[in-house]
């Protein structure tokens, strides 16, 4: 397991990007639960963020690809709208404890 960040560094309904050993990842927190994905749209293989640490749509309820507007569910990374509908983001196994978020890479 590799340390990602302190739990307090990932706000509720927030997102944050990371570069861990050359792997571009991002984390999102929703309803107290953290989700971590590879920062790569299944449509074109590009990074998803609009600006650094900005991976969510304006309502903070879906992950949105800045390039083509594809929308993904936070809970499982499934694309529900856009050019890659039916495909999914690559989830990174993670756990959270008193120290923070840990990923299995």
């Amino acid at each position: 397991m590799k340390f990602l960040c302190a739990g307090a560094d990932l706000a509720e309904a927030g997102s944050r990007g990371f570069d861990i050993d050359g792997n571009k990842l991002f984390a999102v927190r929703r309803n107290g639960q953290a989700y971590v994905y590879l920062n790569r749209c299944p449509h074109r293989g590009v990074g998803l963020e609009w600006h650094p640490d900005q991976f969510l749509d304006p309502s903070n309820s879906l992950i949105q690809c800045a390039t083509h507007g594809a929308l993904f569910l936070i809970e499982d990374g499934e694309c529900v709208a856009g050019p890659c509908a039916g495909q999914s983001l690559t989830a990174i196994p993670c756990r959270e404890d008193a120290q923070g978020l840990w990923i299995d890479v």
Side-chain angles (χ1 to χ4, degrees):
M1 293 294 248
K2 190 171 265 306
F3 184 73
L4 193 62
C5 69
D9 291 343
L10 182 61
E12 177 64 32
S15 58
R16 187 167 169 207
F18 301 91
D19 188 333
I20 304 293
D21 300 332
N23 294 304
K24 303 252 186 247
L25 311 173
F26 71 98
V28 179
R29 186 181 301 283
R30 182 169 193 183
N31 297 326
Q33 175 71 41
Y35 303 90
V36 180
Y37 295 99
L38 190 62
N39 183 7
R40 190 170 198 272
C41 181
H43 177 229
R44 287 279 189 253
V46 296
L48 296 159
E49 68 271 37
W50 298 89
H51 299 287
D53 299 327
Q54 194 169 349
F55 293 87
L56 301 175
D57 70 345
S59 70
N60 289 337
S61 61
L62 294 164
I63 298 163
Q64 185 170 24
C65 177
T67 303
H68 295 103
L71 296 170
F72 303 87
L73 298 175
I74 291 173
E75 293 81 3
D76 64 10
E78 180 186 352
C79 182
V80 293
C84 50
Q87 295 180 285
S88 294
L89 299 172
T90 302
I92 305 298
C94 71
R95 69 174 174 82
E96 189 167 8
D97 62 19
Q99 291 179 300
L101 284 169
W102 298 82
I103 54 169
D104 191 1
V105 287

